Amino acid sequence: MNRTTLSLIGAATALAAISGVAALTGGSSEDAGSAGKAATRLPVQRSTLLCPTPSTSDVSSTIYTAYTPKRDGVDAKDGTAELLPAQNAADDVTDPGGDGKGDKNDKSGKDGGKGGDKPVLPLKEPGKPVTTDVSSAGAPALIGTADGRFAPGWTVQQTTTIDAGSGRGILGTACTAPDTDFWFPGVSTDRGRQDFVHLTNPDDAAAEVDLKLYGPSGRLKSATDESITVPPRSTLPVLLSTLTDQRAESASLRVTARSGRIGAEVQAVDQKAGSDWLPPSAVPSSSVAIPGIPKDATSARLVVFAPGSDDADLKVRLAGPNNSITPAGHESLHVKSGMTAAIDLGDVTKGEPGSLLLTPEGGEGPATPVVAALQVTRGKGGDQETAFIPATAAIERSATAADNRTKGSTLSLVAPRAAAKVRITASAGAGGGSPVSKTYEVKGGTTKALEPPRPASGKGPYAVTVERLSGGPVHASRMLELTQDGVPMFTIQSLPDDRGTVVVPEAGQNMSLLNDD
């Protein structure tokens, strides 16, 4: 077959393809030669969420709450949303699709229950949450999918209460979307901590995952193969202290999927200060917001890592209810490239709610991106409880916290630069009721902490959705607290944008593509 014949076939194929696109988009001959039409923003059609194994404690109980907000422009009939149990890879590391090398991957030190096929938390309609509780230690990790009308903004909250033991407290997390790269500043390999990274693979092929730890002096020396194989549709908890012989009070963990995609979250258990989930930090950025430090925090420890080739010099500010101030003695922070820096801020809020803002220190040249997280402690002595707040991306349009109670929920909003206006909507409760919305203004450089609206005549857990209406960027988090036996148990979930919509470019005919130059 000669070159001319191939060219004709290629031209005919291109013409058929372009004609097909025009038919799908409604293009006409008048579009020829014009630039592509403006992109439109449409609701996503499919969402995936991964929930880690909640706990192996015999004195634990877990509440799951799932919710999808009502959205304009979404088909009101089609769609499903449900979660299925994942296989625990620590039970059978030679599971088909794994690496077949015995117990290389079994660093969990614990057994877990195998997954099944019974759906969990199927939604019946947007705008109304569903909830269920599990009171056994055998609750599995969950792999969930929502499509159609349930996909845009679908969120699932997992809230676990452990009544006794070194991990006692409330452990809360919003189930996360799968990805290929995660940063966890704030982990520890110290003897007083047991940190597990939970790796969950939602797909039908095995995922190869690299785990790398960085301490105050750089990369922590590996004591084992850092490559982990997570079998298909499985979860695997890995104890971080088994990855290195070096002990670091504050470190940073990078989780990278070499093949496939995964969900990753860290469960941090402190022998003295309780436990909680440490979610991944927002992607590296030169300006960072950590929203929602409780007004009664007795201590706060900031952990920052600079993943690039340059050092980072950061200005540290605390955005309070009325203005932004510089914490005494902590005006700036120098973070060396490839190293983890940590500073103890003490009771930095001084009785008022606040948020930490990290911005580049003055100087020439491009600013260096960083990842960051804050470990927050409430209570004193034997009555301490801890939680983590990672650096949180701004809300572009909306974000939702699924599990809120009639008492104990606090929503924190921070506008680092310009003032912003937001609308906060409480959904109907899982047991009924009607939604309620209120509008708030957040002044630039301040934090607004408030008790979110409650549904009218609602019963049971409910969802709170924050919509940014106008103004500058807004970052948010939600604290859920429950005092038990004198211990101020609490958990904080950051609220990044739910990415319920996606920009879709609209194509039209352009016959000039067929020109032969």
Side-chain angles (χ1 to χ4, degrees):
M1 188 177 292
N2 60 34
R3 187 182 304 272
T4 302
T5 304
L6 287 172
S7 299
L8 289 172
I9 292 175
T13 303
L15 178 60
I18 293 169
S19 300
V21 170
L24 288 173
T25 60
S28 69
S29 59
E30 295 177 357
D31 296 322
S34 64
K37 295 181 180 179
T40 57
R41 184 169 286 275
L42 299 175
V44 298
Q45 297 180 354
R46 186 179 178 87
S47 297
T48 300
L49 291 178
L50 308 174
C51 309
T53 304
S55 175
T56 58
S57 172
D58 293 330
V59 290
S60 66
S61 60
T62 298
I63 295 177
Y64 294 96
T65 306
Y67 176 74
T68 293
K70 287 185 176 181
R71 301 266 180 164
D72 295 332
V74 177
D75 191 312
K77 295 181 180 180
D78 297 332
T80 59
E82 61 186 22
L83 298 104
L84 293 171
Q87 174 79 23
N88 192 329
D91 289 340
D92 185 4
V93 296
T94 59
D95 186 78
D99 63 0
K101 296 181 181 179
D103 62 354
K104 163 192 161 185
N105 290 332
D106 191 5
K107 300 180 178 72
S108 68
K110 300 182 181 181
D111 294 326
K114 292 188 177 182
D117 56 4
K118 184 178 179 181
V120 180
L121 294 176
L123 288 180
K124 296 182 179 180
E125 59 180 298
K128 183 179 180 180
V130 296
T131 186
T132 188
D133 61 278
V134 179
S135 58
S136 69
L142 299 174
I143 299 173
T145 302
D147 57 24
R149 61 179 176 152
F150 295 109
W154 183 47
T155 185
V156 179
Q157 168 79 15
Q158 172 182 301
T159 307
T160 301
T161 303
I162 301 178
D163 295 331
S166 59
R168 61 98 181 95
I170 297 180
L171 297 83
T173 184
C175 302
T176 59
D179 209 333
T180 58
D181 196 20
F182 304 86
W183 281 103
F184 296 92
V187 301
S188 178
T189 60
D190 200 30
R191 300 187 186 280
R193 282 266 293 270
Q194 276 198 321
D195 287 12
F196 289 83
V197 59
H198 288 245
L199 308 173
T200 305
N201 177 7
D203 298 322
D204 294 329
E208 292 290 333
V209 182
D210 286 340
L211 305 178
K212 296 179 181 179
L213 286 163
Y214 301 84
S217 300
R219 179 86 175 271
L220 297 184
K221 185 178 179 181
S222 176
T224 183
D225 187 353
E226 294 169 321
S227 177
I228 304 292
T229 299
V230 185
R233 309 285 298 179
S234 297
T235 191
L236 183 67
V238 179
L239 182 60
L240 296 187
S241 60
T242 64
L243 300 177
T244 180
D245 294 329
Q246 294 179 266
R247 296 291 166 251
E249 180 182 4
S250 295
S252 300
L253 168 69
R254 187 177 192 180
V255 179
T256 307
R258 262 196 267 170
S259 65
R261 56 180 189 155
I262 54 166
E265 292 201 52
V266 171
Q267 188 181 56
V269 180
D270 191 298
Q271 293 182 1
K272 296 181 179 179
S275 60
D276 208 347
W277 291 99
L278 169 58
S281 170
V283 297
S285 175
S286 58
S287 295
V288 166
I290 302 177
I293 309 172
K295 63 181 180 181
D296 60 350
T298 52
S299 69
R301 184 173 178 82
L302 174 65
V303 182
V304 185
F305 180 79
S309 57
D310 297 323
D311 294 357
D313 288 293
L314 302 169
K315 183 188 300 181
V316 181
R317 290 184 298 146
L318 176 70
N322 301 309
N323 52 29
S324 294
I325 63 171
T326 300
H330 300 291
E331 295 81 4
S332 62
L333 176 65
H334 180 74
V335 186
K336 293 183 179 180
S337 170
M339 301 182 187
T340 299
I343 55 173
D344 288 314
L345 300 174
D347 56 341
V348 64
T349 57
K350 304 297 182 182
E352 292 184 330
S355 303
L356 272 189
L357 305 177
L358 307 179
T359 54
E361 192 81 16
E364 297 182 357
T368 302
V370 298
V371 292
L374 193 70
Q375 181 178 359
V376 179
T377 303
R378 298 172 70 218
K380 297 181 179 180
D383 294 333
Q384 294 182 67
E385 165 69 322
T386 193
F388 297 88
I389 315 172
T392 304
I395 298 174
E396 294 181 17
R397 283 169 176 78
S398 65
T400 298
D403 180 9
N404 295 275
R405 319 288 174 87
T406 55
K407 294 182 179 180
S409 292
T410 301
L411 187 65
S412 293
L413 309 167
V414 59
R417 297 190 291 273
K421 180 180 290 187
V422 300
R423 178 168 56 227
I424 301 174
T425 301
S427 74
S434 303
V436 173
S437 294
K438 293 184 179 181
T439 301
Y440 299 87
E441 289 190 4
V442 186
K443 295 179 180 180
T446 71
T447 296
K448 180 180 283 293
L450 55 93
E451 184 177 301
R454 301 174 186 173
S457 304
K459 296 181 179 179
Y462 64 97
V464 170
T465 298
V466 181
E467 297 173 89
R468 176 182 164 273
L469 302 179
S470 62
V474 176
H475 305 253
S477 69
R478 189 282 317 269
M479 180 174 75
L480 184 63
E481 57 181 321
L482 174 65
T483 300
Q484 182 172 313
D485 298 328
V487 178
M489 298 196 300
F490 74 115
T491 182
I492 299 174
Q493 278 71 61
S494 56
L495 300 179
D497 193 86
D498 61 20
R499 294 184 290 183
T501 59
V502 62
V503 175
V504 179
E506 188 171 353
Q509 289 188 57
N510 188 346
M511 305 304 288
S512 65
L513 291 173
L514 299 180
N515 289 344
D516 187 4
D517 295 332

